Amino acid sequence: MNEVLLRSLTPSVLGILVRRGADFAAAEDAVQDALVEAVRVWPADPPRDAKGWLVTVAWRKFLDASRADASRRRREDVVDEEPAPGSAPSADDTLQLYFLCSHPSLTPSSAVALTLRAVGGLTTRQIAQAYLVPEATMAQRISRAKRTVSGVRFDQPGDVATVLRVLYLVFNEGYSGDIDLAAEAIRLTRQLAAAIDHPEVAGLLALMLLHHARRAARTAPDGGLVPLAEQDRGRWDTKSIAEGVEILQRALARDRLGEFQAQAAVAALHADALTAEETDWVQIVEWYDELARLTDSPVVLLNRAVAVGEADGPRAGLAALALLDDSLPRHTAVAAYLHERDGDLAMAAQLYAEAAQQAPNLAERNHLTRQAARLNARLR
């Protein structure tokens, strides 16, 4: 069973059902049922046209559900519209589906959550971590969004800002999480940039390219994380860096600054430094000040505290960190790093160990555990 093939076909099949008149929640359920059927049937009898098979079975599942629930959904009899077996259109509907999920009837946060779950393939837990809320809260938010759009015709696409937020979160999860979606997010953002002349679309594409350029250097041969300062910069993708910087410069020249352009500027300053010691931390602090003004995000302020610690010394960084809620994810890890820079190895080791217990994934937990062990070895 090719799970990658199934996952790649899901957005397109879902888009076809929505365009044929299925409301989003019912279409999603039908596609999920078809995927279950594929897992059961394909190993013994693989279809010649995987996408056509999924469209046909999903549509039948939708019709069966519609007939069973006809009194509530009040749908017309669409039995004769069942598609004949055979090839399905090969067009890529994924980006269009992102816009359709960002429906005007939904709040931006609900639209993002629903799209990440239904189209992006992320779990409720992963989406909750991205939003810094409990998993149960996010599950309720997604359920409410499904109820809101149930029965709605998706003929009013959402706005660009919401779609950009979804693409950004999908990229972040693919870049540092459990599911490899970073390349797909870049592909879709390229499509969007080609279709829309918008500086923030360009800013997001530049940001993705600049971060993705460092991906090969982020992981050690044993799978462990390699911090930015310790990465082999010779392994960075200079072609992607050059492209990202060029796209960013064109966007900034339009003088319509947004958060993705500001984030890309920070990434560009890291990429421009030949060594970690040559990083222009003063400029990075200035860009984080702009980001804080644009977003009022606690994550931005956490990253700013690190930058302040590099630019003005670890005690200045700790002072900036003290202004933030200590329950913020990765707050403890940042405190450990700054205390180590300040020479308080005992406190740093203790904080690294605490941060490891709070880590959102195994790779980060192992990295922080090794940091604590390294310092404890020096203290003996």
Side-chain angles (χ1 to χ4, degrees):
M1 173 57 58
N2 191 331
E3 295 183 5
V4 174
L5 173 62
L6 285 176
R7 189 167 62 191
S8 68
L9 291 174
T10 298
S12 184
V13 175
L14 185 56
I16 290 171
L17 265 64
V18 169
R19 290 203 304 277
R20 284 180 175 171
D23 69 75
F24 187 86
E28 185 189 15
D29 290 342
V31 172
Q32 293 300 318
D33 289 343
L35 293 176
V36 172
E37 187 74 4
V39 171
R40 185 182 69 82
V41 172
W42 284 14
D45 185 21
R48 285 180 295 180
D49 179 6
K51 183 175 179 180
W53 190 98
L54 284 172
V55 170
T56 299
V57 172
W59 186 250
R60 286 173 179 162
K61 297 287 186 183
F62 164 70
L63 292 179
D64 289 344
S66 296
R67 295 187 193 108
D69 202 24
S71 60
R72 181 168 63 85
R73 296 187 180 276
R74 302 183 182 279
R75 289 192 171 276
E76 296 179 355
D77 183 6
V78 292
V79 175
D80 294 336
E81 296 180 14
E82 180 178 327
S87 300
S90 59
D92 183 355
D93 303 298
T94 309
L95 188 58
Q96 180 187 14
L97 200 57
Y98 272 65
F99 273 94
L100 293 176
C101 286
S102 303
H103 196 271
S105 64
L106 295 171
T107 64
S109 61
S110 293
V112 169
L114 177 62
T115 313
L116 290 172
R117 183 71 186 92
V119 189
L122 306 189
T123 66
T124 303
R125 176 183 59 82
Q126 291 166 325
I127 302 169
Q129 288 175 349
Y131 269 90
L132 309 180
V133 299
E135 184 175 347
T137 300
M138 183 53 64
Q140 292 175 355
R141 184 179 301 178
I142 293 172
S143 295
R144 284 197 301 269
K146 287 183 178 181
R147 287 196 298 270
T148 299
V149 299
S150 180
V152 171
R153 291 288 299 204
F154 280 71
D155 54 359
Q156 300 180 64
D159 65 357
V160 174
T162 301
V163 173
L164 288 179
R165 176 63 50 194
V166 175
L167 289 169
Y168 173 66
L169 291 175
V170 169
F171 175 81
N172 275 348
E173 189 59 43
Y175 185 70
S176 61
D178 302 325
I179 302 176
D180 185 2
L181 293 172
E184 173 68 359
I186 292 174
R187 184 183 71 83
L188 293 173
T189 306
R190 283 191 187 279
Q191 286 187 9
L192 188 58
I196 300 176
D197 184 19
H198 192 298
E200 273 294 83
V201 176
L204 178 58
L205 179 57
L207 175 63
M208 289 179 174
L209 290 169
L210 289 164
H211 277 309
H212 205 60
R214 302 199 300 260
R215 188 167 190 177
R218 292 183 70 248
T219 307
D222 64 357
L225 294 181
V226 180
L228 177 61
E230 300 173 18
Q231 289 177 15
D232 178 0
R233 300 186 178 217
R235 299 185 65 195
W236 289 1
D237 183 348
T238 55
K239 183 178 179 181
S240 292
I241 290 173
E243 182 186 6
V245 169
E246 181 181 356
I247 292 171
L248 174 62
Q249 288 175 339
R250 289 201 302 267
L252 291 175
R254 300 178 65 175
D255 199 24
R256 289 169 55 193
L257 183 64
E259 63 174 297
F260 294 122
Q261 295 169 73
Q263 287 191 59
V266 171
L269 286 167
H270 283 299
D272 187 54
L274 296 178
T275 66
E277 293 73 23
E278 296 176 68
T279 304
D280 190 342
W281 287 105
V282 173
Q283 272 205 69
I284 288 176
V285 171
E286 292 173 355
W287 278 112
Y288 275 127
D289 287 338
E290 289 287 347
L291 265 172
R293 179 181 61 82
L294 290 166
T295 68
D296 194 29
S297 164
V299 176
V300 167
L301 295 176
L302 185 67
N303 290 331
R304 180 184 179 278
V306 176
V308 169
E310 299 290 352
D312 300 328
R315 295 197 178 182
L318 287 168
L321 186 66
L323 301 175
L324 307 180
D325 186 346
D326 60 9
S327 67
L328 188 66
R330 296 187 172 88
H331 184 285
T332 307
V334 170
Y337 173 74
L338 292 172
H339 276 290
E340 180 182 358
R341 291 269 333 276
D342 195 38
D344 190 347
L345 302 189
M347 177 61 74
Q350 177 184 331
L351 290 171
Y352 276 129
E354 292 177 10
Q357 297 300 315
Q358 303 164 6
N361 56 65
L362 182 60
E364 192 168 334
R365 183 182 310 152
N366 289 341
H367 170 71
L368 292 167
T369 300
R370 284 195 293 268
Q371 296 294 87
R374 173 179 57 82
L375 294 185
N376 282 325
R378 291 177 60 185
L379 289 168
R380 291 194 187 100

